[in-house]
């Protein structure tokens, strides 16, 4: 019988914080908005989906002065995710 696996992606707040600093993002958000991004949208998720990544990128765009496209921000966010596989 062929084994089945699922992909799990996670993003921690420290990685997302470092990404925002390195890209000079989130300069227009207050502490409450920044904490929402780091801890509610990213760090507390058991498995980051494509929809989650888009939501994180949209939040970053709303609080940043950037010419970067949404899909480019999504790529950067997805790149910092830790991906692992689990047998189901």
């Amino acid at each position: 019988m062929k084994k089945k696996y699922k992909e799990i992606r996670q993003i921690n707040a420290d990685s997302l914080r470092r990404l925002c600093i390195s890209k000079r993002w989130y300069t227009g958000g207050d502490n409450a908005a920044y904490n929402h991004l780091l801890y509610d949208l990213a760090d507390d998720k058991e498995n980051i989906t494509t929809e989650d990544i888009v939501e994180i990128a949209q939040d970053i765009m709303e609080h940043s002065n950037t010419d970067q496209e949404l899909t480019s921000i999504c790529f950067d966010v997805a790149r910092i995710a830790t991906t692992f596989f689990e047998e189901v």
Side-chain angles (χ1 to χ4, degrees):
M1 177 184 269
K2 189 174 181 179
K3 293 182 181 182
K4 293 187 180 187
Y5 296 87
K6 70 177 179 177
E7 177 183 3
I8 299 171
R9 290 182 286 187
Q10 295 180 335
I11 296 175
N12 67 50
D14 289 333
S15 295
L16 186 54
R17 181 182 298 113
R18 283 192 300 274
L19 178 64
C20 287
I21 291 168
S22 72
K23 297 287 188 173
R24 293 181 170 85
W25 289 338
Y26 229 87
T27 56
D30 61 15
N31 285 342
Y34 197 45
N35 281 334
H36 172 68
L37 170 73
L38 297 177
Y39 299 105
D40 297 331
L41 298 183
D43 202 47
D44 288 339
K45 301 275 182 151
E46 288 184 23
N47 186 15
I48 297 290
T49 65
T50 301
E51 290 79 18
D52 293 327
I53 290 171
V54 171
E55 184 178 14
I56 290 167
Q58 288 172 329
D59 190 76
I60 289 170
M61 284 189 80
E62 289 173 14
H63 296 92
S64 303
N65 182 15
T66 182
D67 293 332
Q68 202 169 347
E69 298 282 332
L70 178 69
T71 54
S72 178
I73 294 172
C74 288
F75 177 81
D76 287 333
V77 171
R79 202 180 67 207
I80 66 165
T82 301
T83 303
F84 56 96
F85 297 87
E86 181 176 278
E87 188 175 342
V88 291

